[in-house]
Amino acid sequence: MTAVFDRPKRPPVIVGITGSSGAVLAVRTVEVLGGLGLPMHVTYTAACKQVWPDELGHPIADDLSAWKQRFGAHIFNPDDFRAPMSSGSFRTAGMIVVPCSMRTVSALAVGASSNLVERAGDVAIKEGWPLVLVPREAPLSAIHLENLLKLARLGVKIAPPVPQFYLRPPSLDEAVDTMVRRTLALLGIAEALPDALRWRSGEE
Ligand SMILES: Cc1cc2nc3c(=O)[nH]c(=O)nc-3n(C[C@H](O)[C@H](O)[C@H](O)COP(=O)(O)O)c2cc1C
């Protein structure tokens, strides 16, 4: 039997996970991409290894190996600058950084690349590929806002994790699912949207 991740190749979606609150957003993002059978290359920062057990009760290593098994995800260490996503000559379907810390936002805004998430984001910006950030912080300082504005002006999509209150989500899980699907649609993955949301997206 052909596993879903053995389908003919599309370029992979790059998923970068940083050490801001919102680990569940990263988990759902990978699950939705994997459920759609889309190839993905995943990397993460050292800081998110601290946040993960605080928020999810287990180490990120558990999820990384599960994503490999379930979805055929390719996982890259934070300091692996030889990873394909490090190079502009490696074709990707774009990158999502979810959740995105203010530290990573600042690094992207100044073009610093001290880990693989930052390098891949820097490559997406220089190559003009789709890049979506899911920044999570509150309140946002003027420094955060200036960095985000700078990135938005470069064409980076800034998609804070804001629940769709008007859909009256019955649970946090459903609110997270909708936020993730809307964010993936920004990356051009329209099939992530369920029909109901596709219809609604025309009305806002
Ligand atoms: C439990 C926990 C929650 C955090 N939440 C946030 C957050 O929501 N936003 C943020 O910008 N940083 C947050 N931080 C701080 C970042 O982890 C820290 O700034 C780190 O340097 C980010 O590094 P990275 O961008 O390489 O992941 C949090 C840290 C911990 C331990």
Side-chain angles (χ1 to χ4, degrees), residues 83-165:
M85 70 177 83
S86 245
S87 166
S89 56
F90 179 69
R91 176 87 197 284
T92 78
M95 177 174 188
I96 181 166
V97 185
V98 58
C100 186
S101 72
M102 292 304 114
R103 201 203 67 73
T104 294
V105 165
S106 70
L108 291 172
V110 297
S113 297
S114 61
N115 62 41
L116 187 57
V117 172
E118 292 165 7
R119 171 61 186 165
D122 198 40
V123 168
I125 292 169
K126 84 182 171 76
E127 299 292 337
W129 293 335
L131 175 60
V132 178
L133 307 184
V134 183
R136 196 273 157 208
E137 187 52 281
L140 291 161
S141 73
I143 296 171
H144 302 148
L145 290 165
E146 280 181 1
N147 286 333
L148 289 166
L149 178 61
K150 193 171 169 190
L151 292 167
R153 286 189 167 138
L154 292 170
V156 177
K157 291 268 189 260
I158 310 298
V162 178
Q164 274 78 39
F165 294 107

Side-chain angles (χ1 to χ4, degrees), residues 10-27:
R10 280 169 71 161
V13 177
I14 309 300
V15 180
I17 305 171
T18 77
S20 91
S21 184
V24 67
L25 295 162
V27 171

